[in-house]
Amino acid sequence: MSYPGYPPSGYSAYPGYAPQGGESAFPPGSQYPYPTGAAGMPPMAGGAYPPNASGGVPGAGGYPAFGGYPPGGMPAFPGGQGFGMPGAGYGVPPGGAGFGAPAGYGAPAGGPGYGAPAGGPGYGVPTGAPGYGGYPQPQVQSYGGGGPAPAPGGYPGGPAPSQPPTMPLPSAMSATQGTIKAAANFDALRDAEILRKAMKGFGTDEQAIVDVIANRSGDQRQKIKAAFKTAYGKDLIKDLKSELSGNMEELIIALFMPATYYDAWSLYNAMKGAGTQERVLIEILCTRTNSEIKNVVQCYKTEFGRDVEKDIRSDTSGHFERLLVSMCQGNRDENQTVNYQIAQQDAQRLYQAGEGKLGTDESSFNLVLASRSFPHLKAVVEAYFKIANRDLLSTIGREFSGSVENGLKAIVQCALNRPAFFAERLYHAMKGAGTDDSTLIRIIVTRSEIDLVQVKQAFTQIYQKTLPSMISSDTSGDYRRLLLAITGQ
């Protein structure tokens, strides 16, 4: 399958892409001549790797105060289908103690609170800390510089200069849009009263619950949760769990988790116990921004009393381990401009590390793909195709296998078209017999305030069917109704 935005098929017909068959964003071949084959490859000058275009690594941002679920643990989910592990708990192999185990929600067996380690306090509350803070919610992600493509025949305003410039690279998706936005005239106490009424007495008014939850932002849901406890002295999540079950319960709980906590919780459950869910690690660590990764790493340590890098080292190995350790540093260059000369040198480096030699220099792939900005990597992809006459995704498939192949491909796919990457993950979660509900829930929830509009567009373009129609055919009942409401149907 041709990946949208990938040479030689041209860029996807999204805002910011060059039209099908249009001019390349990369400077003309006459400006930086490419060799025609392996024999014509010039050596790297001195073998030195060029410095980062950004000139430095962004520092870690401050971490906000933590909000709080009370200690005491949450009732367990029924044993559901783990990611790629039918019959297991959420993120846990058979016999594990994960999402749906008798222990606390997301806690080790015999543990206490909602997502807390044994002996810990509760969801988002540091030991001895009162109050209600909350983890950061999703921010709009920028996928590139958004600058114009060079005019046909040279650079804008005249012939190409003698030295290659640093220019913004057109973005695959410079403007993104979530399907869920903050409700106007929001009243947390009024929403808390609606939810209380929907759960009171015999039966449950699921439609009222869907109408509120699917039309409030993550920050607003946190305020509703706090207002419910203030007004009624009860925990909203416990009340909802007592009224719901199965996938609907899992989806509701995910929506009420702060975004940072949900990512940290997903990583924790992907690595706890025997076995590891590598694709969950890839999906989160290879697609998030630097600030998101650093917040998740801090949250992981605060909530679960563990170091995510140490857990990665103990649960993975080899080149996949090194790639994930690189990712969890959150130090990718995020400069949105591209130096095309360095991009060409990076492409040549990758060629010489793979197609241009016997064997594979895996460290060169890790260095380039783990540290360069996504706009820069998009330019590298185009330069690589001119050098190798083969696309970079194909080369990665030939040179690598298993989880490290999947991780490297995920980075390249996100550089080309991040919404298309998530569209592909959603499709594979639903195609064939059975549904990977945990992946479906995780992606729908985590992208709902960032770029789910673009994910839906990419899904339709790639698979010639709409995401809501596939959700409708693979799910049922209130679970389907809430998923469709989140996707804007």
Side-chain angles (χ1 to χ4, degrees):
M1 178 186 73
S2 177
Y3 200 81
Y6 207 85
S9 61
Y11 297 119
S12 304
Y14 296 150
Y17 264 108
Q20 191 75 13
E23 292 298 320
S24 166
F26 207 82
S30 59
Q31 178 65 25
Y32 309 120
Y34 294 94
T36 57
M41 286 301 305
M44 294 268 306
Y49 190 68
N52 257 349
S54 66
V57 174
Y63 201 69
F66 303 130
Y69 267 74
M74 304 303 294
F77 278 171
Q81 176 180 341
F83 181 82
M85 296 184 176
Y90 182 83
V92 188
F99 193 118
Y105 180 84
Y114 187 116
Y123 182 0
V125 187
T127 305
Y132 177 86
Y135 289 103
Q137 294 297 316
Q139 301 297 319
V140 173
Q141 294 182 350
S142 173
Y143 298 138
Y155 289 95
S162 57
Q163 295 297 321
T166 297
M167 299 176 59
L169 182 71
S171 165
M173 202 64 57
S174 55
T176 57
Q177 184 180 352
T179 53
I180 293 182
K181 301 192 180 298
N185 303 317
F186 170 67
D187 185 332
L189 183 58
R190 181 184 61 198
D191 285 347
E193 289 178 307
I194 293 172
L195 293 177
R196 170 69 172 166
K197 184 177 179 181
M199 294 183 287
K200 190 176 179 181
F202 295 102
T204 302
D205 185 354
E206 287 87 356
Q207 186 60 54
I209 295 174
V210 169
D211 289 343
V212 169
I213 293 176
N215 294 287
R216 304 294 184 269
S217 69
D219 282 335
Q220 289 175 334
R221 289 187 215 110
Q222 301 307 309
K223 292 174 182 176
I224 293 170
K225 191 166 57 180
F228 192 94
K229 183 172 286 187
T230 300
Y232 304 111
K234 300 180 68 177
D235 185 85
L236 173 59
I237 304 304
K238 286 185 177 179
D239 276 13
L240 285 169
K241 286 174 69 67
S242 69
E243 300 290 335
L244 305 169
S245 63
N247 292 323
M248 179 66 168
E249 180 183 356
E250 182 178 343
L251 177 54
I252 291 283
I253 300 306
L255 286 164
F256 272 100
M257 285 188 190
T260 298
Y261 181 89
Y262 189 30
D263 275 353
W265 180 89
S266 297
L267 291 175
Y268 175 76
N269 280 277
M271 292 186 283
K272 68 179 289 189
T276 305
Q277 295 179 40
E278 291 84 357
R279 286 187 179 272
V280 177
L281 305 182
I282 291 169
E283 180 192 306
I284 294 173
L285 293 175
C286 294
T287 67
R288 304 303 194 246
T289 65
N290 286 346
S291 62
E292 287 170 341
I293 289 173
K294 288 178 178 177
N295 285 338
V296 167
V297 168
Q298 179 60 48
C299 175
Y300 191 96
K301 188 167 189 177
T302 302
E303 293 301 316
F304 305 109
R306 303 181 65 86
D307 183 274
V308 68
E309 182 178 328
K310 288 182 179 178
D311 283 356
I312 286 170
R313 291 188 184 279
S314 65
D315 270 57
T316 61
S317 61
H319 299 294
F320 183 54
E321 172 196 331
R322 293 167 206 164
L323 177 65
L324 292 184
V325 168
S326 294
M327 292 295 97
C328 71
Q329 304 310 304
N331 284 334
R332 180 182 295 281
D333 176 19
E334 291 187 333
N335 190 347
Q336 297 298 293
T337 58
V338 175
N339 184 310
Y340 289 100
Q341 185 177 37
I342 296 178
Q344 182 180 340
Q345 291 170 348
D346 281 348
Q348 179 177 309
R349 183 186 188 101
L350 294 178
Y351 178 84
Q352 291 177 329
E355 296 282 353
K357 65 173 290 184
L358 184 63
T360 306
D361 176 7
E362 293 88 355
S363 62
S364 290
F365 280 86
N366 195 100
L367 191 154
V368 173
L369 297 183
S371 65
R372 297 308 203 192
S373 72
F374 286 118
H376 179 94
L377 289 178
K378 189 173 179 183
V380 170
V381 166
E382 188 169 347
Y384 186 90
F385 184 79
K386 293 178 180 179
I387 291 172
N389 198 28
R390 182 191 302 278
D391 63 67
L392 185 55
L393 283 174
S394 174
T395 291
I396 292 171
R398 288 161 57 93
E399 301 289 331
F400 296 88
S401 62
S403 295
V404 67
E405 175 191 350
N406 294 332
L408 294 172
K409 282 183 174 180
I411 294 169
V412 173
Q413 289 167 338
C414 284
L416 292 169
N417 190 329
R418 192 186 313 249
F421 167 77
F422 287 110
E424 183 178 346
R425 295 278 287 126
L426 287 170
Y427 177 78
H428 288 288
M430 292 183 283
K431 73 173 236 180
T435 302
D436 181 357
D437 291 291
S438 293
T439 294
L440 177 61
I441 290 169
R442 188 174 56 254
I443 295 177
I444 293 293
V445 170
T446 58
R447 310 314 294 183
S448 62
E449 294 183 58
I450 300 175
D451 57 1
L452 193 53
V453 169
Q454 283 75 28
V455 172
K456 288 167 59 181
Q457 292 171 350
F459 194 98
T460 301
Q461 181 182 6
I462 298 169
Y463 301 109
Q464 304 303 305
K465 63 174 70 176
T466 67
L467 176 59
S469 68
M470 197 161 180
I471 289 174
S472 293
S473 64
D474 264 57
T475 60
S476 61
D478 296 319
Y479 174 51
R480 172 170 60 194
R481 188 185 310 169
L482 181 53
L483 283 173
L484 292 177
I486 296 170
T487 60
Q489 295 304 114

